[in-house]
Amino acid sequence: MQLLMLTQLFQPEPNYLKGLTFARDLVKRGHGVEVITGFPNYPGGKIYDGYKQRWRWREMLDGVTVIRVSHFMDHSRSALRRIGSYVSLAVSTCVPGIFLIKKPDVVHVYLGPATLALPALILKLFFGVPYVLDVQDLWPESVLGSGMLRFRYLGKIIQFWCDLSYCYASRIVVLSSGYKAAIMRRGVPEEKIQVIYNWCDVSQETMSAEHSLSDTFGLSGFFTVMYAGNLGEIQALESVVRAAKILLEEIPQVRFLFVGDGIDSEKLKDIVAEENIDNVRFIPRQPVECIGSILDKADVLLIHLRDDPLCRIGIPQKTQAYLAAGKPIIMAVQGDAADLLKRAGAGVTCKPEKPESIADAVRQIYHMSCLERQEMASNGRRFYVNNLSYSVGSRMLEKILIDVANG
């Protein structure tokens, strides 16, 4: 097939899901692949060194033709500026983007921003090219729930646009059964929607580099509960800090480690300092190449999101990385993510934003035998390899694209 990929982010930006690795492997399997995207600027909003914004830029990356089009760049918390960035890329992808490519047999649209369906819809209506939507964020729910978009009437417009793009899509790929159910409630037939779980960074699937984390941060000899990722509002990690305080005197061998940064970082550190919660440690965001070895230092890995409807139907991306790491997991997320962990037999679940429930989960795993914890870890790793890994997911997506290309 001749495939066109539309995406907001592409290498050298961090897009390990449906980015260069996937495109390169399709080329190796004999497919023609072209990508239309913007100039690399995520997350800082400034163009990477070696690039200069022009009306178009063509380059080859590992055999993949990448066409970059000029657009307005913004990653701030301003709703209007962010939407302006999304719309500008969609428009530039239409003109001149789609006039710079070979006519594709099928288009893969990575959503991301729902605006990127615009060029795919034009190719469908005017040139008869079918497209597959890969839905990673439900719009308008995600922008309304995040507080980024405060004008509800704009939500209605976005809702209409999404329904239109779903209607004309040949297939829709979603990351969870909850997403599938949500899209079906909009009137999309069930047979049109396919669940393909996201995978983690391929490099993390086998990563085992040496790292002196335990020695550097005084974790040797302690039972380490680790959270690695963004420390933001949606993660609601104050509840985890409160759980640590509950266990401070009861189980002094337990240490909570937060690896990463975010807008709540200073708030969490202030709580720890003011209340003298000295079983909590923070370390800054670490290089991607170190993540596998950092996760390996944990005794149990923790996932926590605030309790809201959108979180219940999604699966936090770190779930895949944690399962691949082969460690017991505490899942403080209700809904699809908790169900997935139970299927894997890889940990325990608890209620989000409930410190006592989180503390109970830590107690439960702490008092298990080493053999029981190792069984959980092995279950998680095996479930990841058999159901969520790159080799499984990428083949499923390739088959869908070929089927659509062949009508």
Side-chain angles (χ1 to χ4, degrees):
M1 62 179 169
Q2 180 66 32
L3 172 67
L4 173 64
M5 297 175 64
L6 304 178
T7 178
Q8 184 86 13
L9 303 179
F10 198 78
Q11 276 66 19
E13 292 170 304
N15 178 359
Y16 59 82
L17 276 175
K18 313 292 170 56
L20 182 58
T21 299
F22 179 58
R24 180 183 60 215
D25 286 353
L26 289 176
V27 171
K28 289 179 180 178
R29 294 172 195 164
H31 305 297
V33 179
E34 290 186 313
V35 178
I36 301 182
T37 187
F39 285 83
N41 68 96
Y42 180 83
K46 295 183 179 179
I47 296 180
Y48 287 21
D49 291 342
Y51 291 88
K52 184 177 181 181
Q53 183 151 233
R54 301 173 182 169
W55 70 278
R56 61 101 174 163
W57 177 299
R58 186 186 295 267
E59 63 179 326
M60 293 291 293
L61 296 178
D62 293 352
V64 179
T65 301
V66 181
I67 299 168
R68 301 186 185 274
V69 292
S70 178
H71 65 110
F72 171 65
M73 302 173 189
D74 185 79
H75 299 288
S76 69
R77 294 181 62 83
S78 166
L80 292 179
R81 290 177 63 86
R82 288 281 292 277
I83 291 175
S85 175
Y86 298 152
V87 171
S88 72
L89 179 60
V91 171
S92 294
T93 301
C94 294
V95 181
I98 60 177
F99 295 99
L100 301 172
I101 61 171
K102 299 176 183 177
K103 183 180 178 181
D105 300 310
V106 60
V107 180
H108 176 261
V109 190
Y110 187 73
L111 303 177
T115 50
L116 208 51
L118 175 62
L121 194 58
I122 289 175
L123 284 168
K124 168 72 175 180
L125 296 178
F126 291 95
F127 300 96
V129 179
Y131 64 89
V132 174
L133 292 182
D134 197 322
V135 180
Q136 297 290 314
D137 283 311
L138 284 177
W139 283 43
E141 293 91 336
S142 60
V143 289
L144 290 171
S146 68
M148 188 183 80
L149 185 63
R150 301 185 186 279
F151 305 104
R152 294 283 166 173
Y153 70 89
L154 287 179
K156 297 290 186 181
I157 296 173
I158 295 173
Q159 175 77 65
F160 171 79
W161 169 250
C162 290
D163 290 346
L164 186 67
S165 65
Y166 295 159
C167 175
Y168 282 97
S170 294
R171 295 290 292 276
I172 300 173
V173 172
V174 293
L175 55 81
S176 72
S177 57
Y179 270 38
K180 179 176 180 177
I183 293 177
M184 285 174 60
R185 286 194 292 270
R186 297 182 180 183
V188 178
E190 180 178 5
E191 62 271 14
K192 192 174 180 176
I193 311 169
Q194 174 74 46
V195 176
I196 299 180
Y197 294 110
N198 285 341
W199 50 80
C200 71
D201 190 336
V202 175
S203 64
Q204 291 182 32
E205 294 187 354
T206 56
M207 194 181 298
S208 60
E210 290 297 320
H211 196 67
S212 58
L213 184 67
S214 295
D215 297 333
T216 303
F217 293 94
L219 299 173
S220 296
F222 290 98
F223 184 86
T224 303
V225 180
M226 182 185 295
Y227 171 89
N230 186 46
L231 279 60
E233 292 180 354
I234 196 171
Q235 285 75 33
L237 293 169
E238 182 177 344
S239 299
V240 179
V241 172
R242 300 297 178 191
K245 186 176 182 179
I246 292 171
L247 297 171
L248 180 59
E249 300 297 332
E250 179 186 339
I251 314 178
Q253 293 82 10
V254 171
R255 288 286 184 272
F256 285 74
L257 179 65
F258 293 90
V259 183
D261 295 301
I263 61 174
D264 277 1
S265 296
E266 294 308 313
K267 181 184 80 171
L268 296 173
K269 292 175 183 177
D270 289 344
I271 293 171
V272 167
E274 290 168 5
E275 301 185 24
N276 196 28
I277 309 175
D278 62 7
N279 61 346
V280 175
R281 302 286 185 273
F282 295 90
I283 66 173
R285 190 182 306 275
Q286 299 295 299
V288 172
E289 60 268 19
C290 296
I291 294 300
S293 53
I294 288 174
L295 297 181
D296 189 54
K297 304 302 181 183
D299 293 288
V300 59
L301 296 167
L302 172 70
I303 301 174
H304 189 279
L305 291 178
R306 70 188 182 198
D307 189 19
D308 72 21
L310 197 58
C311 291
R312 292 187 208 117
I313 65 172
I315 297 175
Q317 187 57 45
K318 62 174 56 62
T319 304
Q320 286 84 341
Y322 282 9
L323 289 167
K327 294 287 180 177
I329 297 170
I330 293 174
M331 179 69 73
V333 182
Q334 295 190 357
D336 279 35
D339 292 343
L340 189 70
L341 189 72
K342 291 173 184 175
R343 282 176 54 199
V348 300
T349 62
C350 59
K351 295 178 180 178
E353 300 188 79
K354 301 293 184 183
E356 187 58 57
S357 181
I358 298 167
D360 280 341
V362 175
R363 290 188 192 101
Q364 184 178 342
I365 293 187
Y366 176 79
H367 290 298
M368 287 179 179
S369 67
C370 291
L371 187 60
E372 289 174 309
R373 289 197 291 266
Q374 183 55 50
E375 184 178 3
M376 280 185 168
S378 299
N379 288 345
R381 174 67 185 175
R382 184 167 52 252
F383 185 84
Y384 176 81
V385 171
N386 293 336
N387 300 277
L388 311 177
S389 63
Y390 171 74
S391 61
V392 173
S394 63
R395 287 290 186 179
M396 290 175 66
L397 181 55
E398 180 188 19
K399 183 180 185 306
I400 288 173
L401 293 169
I402 292 174
D403 287 348
V404 171
N406 290 335

